[in-house]
Amino acid sequence: MTGRTMLLGAMLGTPYGNHPGAWRMPWAKPDEYTDVDAHVRTAQTAERGGLDYLFYPDRTFIWGDLESGPPIVSIDPVMLLAAVSAQTTKIGLVPSVSTSFNEPYGIARQLRALDVMSHGRAGWNLIPSYEPEAFANFGLPVPSREDKYGRLHEVVQITQALWASWGREAGAPDKVTGRFADTSHIRPIGLQGRQVGSRGPLQIPPSEQGQPVVFMPFASGAGVQAAGMYANGIIGMPSSIEESRSQRDMMRSVTEAAGRDADEVKYLSFATFGLGPTENEAVKRRMALEDAAGIDKRLAHLSMMLGLRLDARDRDKPLTVTQVQGMQRRSGSRQEVLAHRLASEGRSLREILGHGVLDQNPGVVGTGEQVADMFQEWVEAGATDGFSIVVDDLHDGLDDFVDQVVPILRRRGLRPADYGGSTLREHLGLAEQIGRDPRLTDRAAED
Ligand SMILES: Cc1cc2nc3c(=O)[nH]c(=O)nc-3n(C[C@H](O)[C@H](O)[C@H](O)COP(=O)(O)O)c2cc1C
């Protein structure tokens, strides 16, 4: 035990869960994808487990094949989390908002509203967009990489300047003196970049945490550099513990190179799981989800992973000796290594799938102890500061995590017994920030 604790959040999208079979399970309500109450219930469960944040990705086009499954994003995540904020009190709310289509004034106003409405619980997953479908929906061509990241720098710096344009010193309305606000502390910013600008000031005062916490995904070079300048939370999608450690190390050194303290940036890996009272029962639960997703399709994916042609008629049989000898490794991911091991051990094709080998993120299908072991191993190895959990079936998966994994992490001293504060900055152990970080140069606004 190194005495490290971990941060915990949940990556959410559709209300059914992340497994492609979840929306077809007997209990699933197929039209739930536009039901805000379903998202509220999920948020309340996460809050019951003391999770630090909910992270919502965003895409501004139909993302996913509607012929075979729900859209991964439907309702605008800022609006969704505004509804969630009214029904929760502690958990952090982190929507994704693209810098490619929105103007800084709109972002500053919307996210500050979420921050004020939630009493200091808002974050901003700051993303540049890249899919042509998204740009087409705004009548725009896909910009060059240089323009895409140039705009990102301008948008974030102007947004943060707007957040500082209404200072705390403006004070509270005073009925006795009749002075509503000291407007010498509510000042225009007058910033004009190459692509965006704003005069200001913003029309909403700071929240209890000052301003929303910036999150960014771990992306390519320019994205990592930008994250080193602005982000406090890094949404990581590593395929293994080694990749997670190297991404975290890189983020820490890039953050220091930008003049900030490495401990100000928390690297948070996606991790998935499937729970049961025993490993066998967890695998059976997952096999039902695999069946619901369409076993033919799933076996086609497994065929690719093993480098073999599998026949759906053999779903309940193990591989033949010749097949086992013919297996080929491709990515070396945790999931691929597991699939090869299970196949060599003589497990049936459905059983191999039931161990979660097709999950996009590293994880465990097994007991709460096994999931807690994996989380502990990653944190103690310095591979991550915490996890954004990806839940297979939200019907029971998040409740099971809260009831079966969280108590073990608490017993091991890896999670606090309860929320220590009520703002997202407090959950992440971050100091207040209002406005642009003074340690950074004025690069974007002056370019
Ligand atoms: C973990 C993760 C989460 C992301 N979330 C979103 C998202 O919610 N919406 C979006 O449009 N792009 C998202 N992206 C894409 C990034 O914003 C970025 O455009 C992509 O990684 C390509 O970056 P690059 O142009 O620097 O190579 C995400 C990427 C990663 C790795």
Coordinates of all heavy atoms in Angstrom, one line a residue, residues 144-192:
S144 N -8.1 23.3 -41.1 CA -6.7 22.7 -41.0 C -6.5 22.4 -39.5 O -7.1 23.0 -38.6 CB -5.7 23.6 -41.6 OG -5.5 24.7 -40.7
R145 N -5.5 21.5 -39.2 CA -5.1 21.2 -37.9 C -4.7 22.5 -37.1 O -5.0 22.7 -36.0 CB -3.9 20.3 -37.9 CG -4.1 19.0 -37.2 CD -2.9 18.2 -37.3 NE -2.6 17.8 -35.9 CZ -3.4 17.2 -35.1 NH1 -4.6 16.9 -35.5 NH2 -3.1 16.9 -33.9
E146 N -3.9 23.3 -37.9 CA -3.4 24.6 -37.3 C -4.5 25.5 -36.8 O -4.5 26.0 -35.7 CB -2.5 25.3 -38.3 CG -1.5 26.2 -37.7 CD -0.8 27.0 -38.8 OE1 -0.8 26.6 -40.0 OE2 -0.4 28.1 -38.5
D147 N -5.5 25.6 -37.7 CA -6.7 26.5 -37.4 C -7.5 25.9 -36.3 O -8.0 26.6 -35.4 CB -7.6 26.7 -38.6 CG -6.9 27.7 -39.6 OD1 -5.9 28.4 -39.2 OD2 -7.4 27.9 -40.7
K148 N -7.6 24.6 -36.3 CA -8.4 23.9 -35.3 C -7.9 24.2 -33.9 O -8.6 24.5 -33.0 CB -8.5 22.4 -35.6 CG -9.1 21.5 -34.6 CD -9.3 20.1 -35.2 CE -8.6 19.1 -34.2 NZ -9.0 17.7 -34.5
Y149 N -6.6 24.0 -33.8 CA -6.0 24.2 -32.4 C -5.7 25.7 -32.2 O -5.8 26.1 -31.0 CB -4.7 23.4 -32.3 CG -5.0 21.9 -31.9 CD1 -5.0 20.9 -32.8 CD2 -5.4 21.7 -30.6 CE1 -5.4 19.6 -32.4 CE2 -5.8 20.4 -30.2 CZ -5.8 19.4 -31.1 OH -6.2 18.1 -30.8
G150 N -5.5 26.5 -33.2 CA -5.5 28.0 -33.0 C -6.7 28.5 -32.4 O -6.8 29.2 -31.4
R151 N -7.9 28.0 -32.9 CA -9.2 28.4 -32.4 C -9.4 27.9 -31.0 O -9.9 28.6 -30.1 CB -10.3 27.8 -33.3 CG -11.7 28.3 -32.9 CD -12.8 27.8 -33.8 NE -14.0 28.0 -33.1 CZ -15.0 28.9 -33.5 NH1 -14.8 29.6 -34.5 NH2 -16.1 29.0 -32.7
L152 N -8.9 26.7 -30.7 CA -9.0 26.1 -29.3 C -8.3 27.1 -28.3 O -8.9 27.4 -27.3 CB -8.5 24.7 -29.3 CG -8.5 24.0 -27.9 CD1 -8.8 22.5 -28.1 CD2 -7.2 24.2 -27.1
H153 N -7.1 27.5 -28.6 CA -6.4 28.4 -27.7 C -7.1 29.7 -27.5 O -7.3 30.2 -26.4 CB -5.0 28.6 -28.2 CG -4.0 27.5 -28.0 ND1 -3.5 27.2 -26.8 CD2 -3.6 26.5 -28.9 CE1 -2.7 26.1 -26.9 NE2 -2.7 25.7 -28.2
E154 N -7.6 30.2 -28.6 CA -8.4 31.5 -28.5 C -9.6 31.3 -27.6 O -9.9 32.1 -26.8 CB -8.7 32.0 -29.9 CG -7.5 32.5 -30.7 CD -7.9 33.1 -32.0 OE1 -9.2 33.4 -32.2 OE2 -7.0 33.4 -32.8
V155 N -10.4 30.3 -27.9 CA -11.6 30.1 -27.2 C -11.4 29.9 -25.7 O -12.1 30.5 -24.9 CB -12.4 28.9 -27.8 CG1 -13.6 28.5 -27.0 CG2 -12.9 29.2 -29.3
V156 N -10.5 29.0 -25.4 CA -10.3 28.8 -23.9 C -9.8 30.0 -23.2 O -10.3 30.4 -22.1 CB -9.5 27.5 -23.6 CG1 -8.1 27.7 -24.2 CG2 -9.4 27.2 -22.1
Q157 N -8.9 30.8 -23.8 CA -8.4 31.9 -23.1 C -9.4 33.0 -23.0 O -9.5 33.7 -21.9 CB -7.1 32.4 -23.8 CG -6.0 31.4 -23.7 CD -4.6 32.0 -24.0 OE1 -4.4 33.2 -24.0 NE2 -3.6 31.1 -24.2
I158 N -10.2 33.2 -24.0 CA -11.2 34.3 -24.0 C -12.4 33.9 -23.0 O -12.9 34.7 -22.2 CB -11.7 34.6 -25.4 CG1 -10.6 35.2 -26.2 CG2 -12.9 35.6 -25.3 CD1 -10.9 35.5 -27.7
T159 N -12.7 32.6 -23.0 CA -13.7 32.1 -22.1 C -13.3 32.3 -20.7 O -14.1 32.8 -19.8 CB -14.0 30.6 -22.4 OG1 -14.5 30.4 -23.7 CG2 -15.0 30.0 -21.4
Q160 N -12.0 32.0 -20.4 CA -11.6 32.1 -19.0 C -11.5 33.6 -18.6 O -11.7 34.0 -17.5 CB -10.2 31.4 -18.8 CG -10.4 29.9 -18.9 CD -9.2 29.1 -18.5 OE1 -8.1 29.6 -18.7 NE2 -9.4 27.9 -18.0
A161 N -11.1 34.5 -19.6 CA -11.1 35.9 -19.3 C -12.5 36.4 -19.0 O -12.7 37.2 -18.1 CB -10.5 36.6 -20.5
L162 N -13.5 35.9 -19.7 CA -14.9 36.3 -19.4 C -15.3 35.8 -18.0 O -16.0 36.5 -17.3 CB -15.8 35.7 -20.5 CG -15.8 36.4 -21.8 CD1 -16.5 35.5 -22.9 CD2 -16.5 37.8 -21.7
W163 N -14.8 34.6 -17.6 CA -15.2 34.1 -16.3 C -14.6 35.0 -15.2 O -15.1 35.1 -14.1 CB -14.7 32.7 -16.1 CG -15.5 31.7 -16.8 CD1 -16.8 31.8 -17.2 CD2 -15.2 30.3 -17.2 NE1 -17.3 30.7 -17.8 CE2 -16.3 29.7 -17.8 CE3 -14.0 29.6 -17.1 CZ2 -16.3 28.4 -18.3 CZ3 -14.0 28.3 -17.6 CH2 -15.2 27.7 -18.2
A164 N -13.5 35.7 -15.6 CA -12.9 36.6 -14.6 C -13.5 38.0 -14.7 O -13.2 38.9 -13.8 CB -11.4 36.7 -14.8
S165 N -14.3 38.3 -15.7 CA -14.7 39.7 -15.9 C -15.7 40.2 -14.9 O -15.9 41.4 -14.7 CB -15.4 39.8 -17.3 OG -16.6 39.1 -17.4
W166 N -16.4 39.2 -14.2 CA -17.2 39.6 -13.0 C -16.5 39.1 -11.8 O -16.5 37.9 -11.4 CB -18.6 39.0 -13.2 CG -19.6 39.4 -12.1 CD1 -19.4 39.5 -10.8 CD2 -21.0 39.8 -12.3 NE1 -20.5 39.9 -10.1 CE2 -21.5 40.1 -11.0 CE3 -21.8 39.9 -13.4 CZ2 -22.9 40.4 -10.9 CZ3 -23.1 40.2 -13.3 CH2 -23.6 40.5 -12.0
G167 N -15.8 40.0 -11.1 CA -15.0 39.6 -10.0 C -15.8 39.4 -8.7 O -16.9 40.0 -8.6
R168 N -15.3 38.6 -7.8 CA -16.0 38.4 -6.5 C -16.1 39.7 -5.8 O -17.1 39.9 -5.0 CB -15.2 37.4 -5.6 CG -15.3 36.0 -6.0 CD -15.0 35.1 -4.8 NE -14.8 33.8 -5.1 CZ -15.7 32.9 -5.5 NH1 -17.0 33.3 -5.6 NH2 -15.4 31.6 -5.7
E169 N -15.2 40.6 -6.0 CA -15.1 41.9 -5.3 C -16.4 42.8 -5.6 O -16.6 43.7 -5.0 CB -13.9 42.7 -5.6 CG -12.6 42.0 -5.3 CD -12.2 40.9 -6.4 OE1 -12.9 40.8 -7.4 OE2 -11.2 40.2 -6.2
A170 N -17.1 42.4 -6.7 CA -18.3 43.2 -7.1 C -19.3 43.1 -5.9 O -20.3 43.9 -5.8 CB -18.9 42.7 -8.4
G171 N -19.2 42.0 -5.1 CA -20.0 41.9 -3.9 C -21.4 41.4 -4.1 O -21.8 41.1 -5.2
A172 N -22.1 41.4 -3.0 CA -23.5 40.9 -3.0 C -24.4 42.1 -3.0 O -24.1 43.2 -2.4 CB -23.8 40.1 -1.8
P173 N -25.6 42.0 -3.5 CA -26.6 43.2 -3.5 C -26.9 43.6 -2.1 O -27.1 42.8 -1.2 CB -27.9 42.6 -4.2 CG -27.4 41.4 -5.0 CD -26.2 40.9 -4.2
D174 N -26.9 44.9 -1.9 CA -27.1 45.4 -0.5 C -28.4 46.3 -0.5 O -28.4 47.4 -1.0 CB -25.8 46.3 -0.1 CG -25.9 46.7 1.3 OD1 -27.0 46.8 1.9 OD2 -24.8 47.0 1.9
K175 N -29.4 45.7 0.2 CA -30.7 46.4 0.2 C -30.6 47.7 1.0 O -31.3 48.7 0.7 CB -31.8 45.5 0.8 CG -32.2 44.4 -0.1 CD -33.6 43.9 0.2 CE -33.5 43.0 1.5 NZ -34.8 42.2 1.6
V176 N -29.8 47.7 2.0 CA -29.7 48.9 2.9 C -29.1 50.1 2.1 O -29.7 51.2 2.1 CB -28.9 48.6 4.2 CG1 -28.8 49.8 5.0 CG2 -29.5 47.5 4.9
T177 N -27.9 49.9 1.5 CA -27.3 51.0 0.8 C -27.9 51.3 -0.6 O -27.8 52.3 -1.2 CB -25.8 50.7 0.5 OG1 -25.7 49.6 -0.3 CG2 -25.1 50.5 1.8
G178 N -28.6 50.2 -1.1 CA -29.2 50.4 -2.5 C -28.2 50.1 -3.6 O -28.5 50.2 -4.8
R179 N -27.0 49.6 -3.2 CA -26.0 49.3 -4.2 C -26.1 47.8 -4.6 O -25.9 47.0 -3.8 CB -24.6 49.6 -3.8 CG -23.6 49.5 -4.9 CD -22.2 49.8 -4.4 NE -21.4 50.4 -5.5 CZ -20.1 50.7 -5.4 NH1 -19.5 50.4 -4.3 NH2 -19.5 51.2 -6.4
F180 N -26.5 47.6 -5.9 CA -26.7 46.2 -6.3 C -25.3 45.5 -6.5 O -25.1 44.4 -6.0 CB -27.5 46.1 -7.6 CG -28.0 44.7 -7.8 CD1 -29.2 44.3 -7.2 CD2 -27.3 43.8 -8.6 CE1 -29.6 43.0 -7.4 CE2 -27.7 42.6 -8.8 CZ -28.9 42.1 -8.2
A181 N -24.4 46.2 -7.1 CA -23.1 45.6 -7.4 C -22.0 46.7 -7.6 O -22.4 47.8 -8.0 CB -23.1 44.7 -8.6
D182 N -20.8 46.4 -7.2 CA -19.7 47.4 -7.4 C -19.2 47.1 -8.8 O -18.4 46.2 -9.1 CB -18.6 47.1 -6.4 CG -17.4 48.1 -6.6 OD1 -17.4 48.8 -7.6 OD2 -16.5 48.1 -5.7
T183 N -19.7 47.9 -9.7 CA -19.4 47.7 -11.2 C -17.9 48.0 -11.5 O -17.5 47.7 -12.7 CB -20.3 48.4 -12.1 OG1 -20.3 49.8 -11.7 CG2 -21.8 47.9 -11.9
S184 N -17.1 48.5 -10.6 CA -15.7 48.7 -11.0 C -15.1 47.3 -11.0 O -13.9 47.2 -11.5 CB -15.0 49.6 -9.9 OG -15.0 48.9 -8.7
H185 N -15.8 46.2 -10.5 CA -15.2 44.9 -10.6 C -16.0 44.0 -11.6 O -15.9 42.8 -11.6 CB -15.2 44.2 -9.2 CG -14.3 44.9 -8.3 ND1 -12.9 44.8 -8.3 CD2 -14.6 45.8 -7.3 CE1 -12.4 45.5 -7.4 NE2 -13.3 46.1 -6.7
I186 N -16.8 44.7 -12.5 CA -17.4 44.0 -13.6 C -17.0 44.7 -14.8 O -17.6 45.7 -15.2 CB -19.0 44.0 -13.4 CG1 -19.3 43.4 -12.0 CG2 -19.7 43.2 -14.5 CD1 -20.8 43.5 -11.6
R187 N -15.9 44.2 -15.5 CA -15.3 45.0 -16.5 C -15.2 44.3 -17.8 O -15.1 43.0 -17.9 CB -13.8 45.3 -16.1 CG -13.7 45.9 -14.7 CD -14.4 47.2 -14.5 NE -14.0 48.2 -15.5 CZ -14.7 49.4 -15.8 NH1 -15.9 49.6 -15.1 NH2 -14.3 50.2 -16.7
P188 N -15.3 45.0 -18.9 CA -15.1 44.4 -20.3 C -13.7 43.8 -20.4 O -12.8 44.2 -19.7 CB -15.2 45.6 -21.2 CG -15.8 46.7 -20.5 CD -15.5 46.5 -19.0
I189 N -13.6 42.8 -21.3 CA -12.2 42.2 -21.5 C -11.6 42.7 -22.8 O -10.4 42.7 -23.0 CB -12.3 40.7 -21.5 CG1 -13.3 40.1 -22.5 CG2 -12.6 40.2 -20.1 CD1 -13.1 38.6 -22.7
G190 N -12.5 43.0 -23.8 CA -12.0 43.5 -25.1 C -10.9 42.6 -25.7 O -9.8 43.1 -26.0
L191 N -11.2 41.4 -25.9 CA -10.2 40.5 -26.5 C -10.7 40.1 -27.9 O -11.8 39.6 -28.1 CB -10.0 39.2 -25.7 CG -9.2 39.4 -24.4 CD1 -9.2 38.1 -23.6 CD2 -7.8 39.8 -24.6
Q192 N -9.8 40.2 -28.9 CA -10.1 39.8 -30.3 C -8.9 38.9 -30.8 O -7.8 39.4 -30.9 CB -10.3 41.0 -31.2 CG -10.7 40.7 -32.6 CD -12.0 39.9 -32.7 OE1 -13.0 40.4 -32.1 NE2 -12.0 38.8 -33.4

